[in-house]
Amino acid sequence: MTIHKEGFVILTVIFLILIGSNAAIYFFMDSPVSVLKWTILLSSLLFVFFAAFFRSPKRSIYLQDKAIISPADGKIVVIEETEENEFLKDKCIQVSVFMSVFNVHINWFPISGIIRYVKHHSGRFKAAYLPKASFENERTTIAIETKEQKNIVVRQVAGALARRIVCYAKEGESVTQGQQLGFIKFGSRVDIFLPLDSRIDVKPGQKVKGKQTIIGWID
């Protein structure tokens, strides 16, 4: 299993804490052997859980113009017409992918283009599947202009457990569909705001795979 770079420091700290805890039990408890066999098992399971959270699967992609690929693993929780007032300032279609702690938490660019806008907002940490999470929770908003001069907004949203949003996007740079956009740690959501005339190929409740599932198409 390949570990994502965002997990290196956290996993090292967790590993040292677990080693230290088991060492303390061994040196300072009476009859530590009977306890250690359980604490070592629990420590191993805990470390494997965190390591799995930071897993970085190798996935190929076939670049497709006008296709919008899923920016994250998870489940579709929102498909609706809405108004995006931060960058688009117009009506659009919102598609949201909710990531549980068991999903891969890498985010990918859903389409190729030029980054026109990046902004991080501090906020609350409500459950990421709630509708208000998109504009009340801590979040980072990224706007991408396609070669057809269509604007798409991607929003990384923190959840009840997510306390760290990592975004690699920089204004003015060109990005390629499937390139890593960022990482959200411990449960979260990604919103995509598309032009009203976009064709949506997913349904609420559908499970999607980042960099693989086609969310829809733009004209």
Side-chain angles (χ1 to χ4, degrees):
M1 178 173 62
T2 303
I3 300 299
H4 194 273
K5 63 181 181 180
E6 297 297 338
F8 292 164
V9 173
I10 290 178
L11 291 176
T12 299
V13 171
I14 290 171
F15 180 77
L16 293 175
I17 290 173
L18 294 174
I19 289 293
S21 299
N22 284 284
I25 290 171
Y26 179 79
F27 287 111
F28 298 109
M29 281 191 66
D30 294 330
S31 303
V33 176
S34 60
V35 178
L36 272 177
K37 65 181 181 181
W38 294 108
T39 59
I40 290 174
L41 175 61
L42 181 60
S43 297
S44 300
L45 292 174
L46 190 62
F47 186 79
V48 168
F49 169 78
F50 281 106
F53 178 86
F54 287 103
R55 65 194 184 276
S56 180
K58 292 182 179 180
R59 296 178 182 173
S60 58
I61 182 173
Y62 299 97
L63 300 180
Q64 300 188 58
D65 286 342
K66 300 185 179 182
I68 305 297
I69 62 166
S70 180
D73 286 12
K75 182 173 69 173
I76 301 294
V77 292
V78 174
I79 300 176
E80 65 182 14
E81 182 177 321
T82 187
E83 191 163 331
E84 201 287 313
N85 292 315
E86 183 176 350
F87 179 82
L88 298 176
K89 303 185 186 303
D90 202 355
K91 290 183 178 180
C92 56
I93 299 175
Q94 177 181 341
V95 180
S96 299
V97 180
F98 173 73
M99 295 175 281
S100 75
V101 293
F102 300 105
N103 290 125
V104 171
H105 271 59
I106 302 169
N107 302 150
W108 292 273
F109 286 104
I111 199 166
S112 300
I114 299 174
I115 305 298
R116 295 302 186 192
Y117 177 87
V118 179
K119 187 168 185 179
H120 177 80
H121 302 268
S122 298
R124 305 176 70 178
F125 295 97
K126 293 182 177 180
Y129 57 81
L130 296 174
K132 290 184 178 180
S134 182
F135 53 88
E136 289 190 0
N137 279 21
E138 180 152 341
R139 60 204 180 276
T140 298
T141 301
I142 306 105
I144 307 165
E145 182 183 341
T146 70
K147 66 180 183 180
E148 294 84 13
Q149 296 185 319
K150 293 287 185 79
N151 288 309
I152 291 170
V153 167
V154 181
R155 181 169 294 147
Q156 298 172 287
V157 183
L161 295 177
R163 302 285 163 156
R164 180 81 170 95
I165 294 176
V166 180
C167 180
Y168 305 140
K170 295 180 180 179
E171 285 188 32
E173 73 175 359
S174 295
V175 295
T176 303
Q177 184 181 64
Q179 179 182 334
Q180 286 195 20
L181 180 155
F183 197 101
I184 312 179
K185 298 176 182 179
F186 305 113
S188 44
R189 148 180 170 172
V190 179
D191 299 332
I192 313 173
F193 299 90
L194 304 169
L196 279 178
D197 58 357
S198 301
R199 190 185 89 198
I200 306 301
D201 285 350
V202 291
K203 297 178 180 179
Q206 180 178 333
K207 291 184 178 180
V208 294
K209 199 169 184 179
K211 202 176 174 179
Q212 303 287 293
T213 306
I214 293 179
I215 296 289
W217 302 80
I218 58 172
D219 292 330

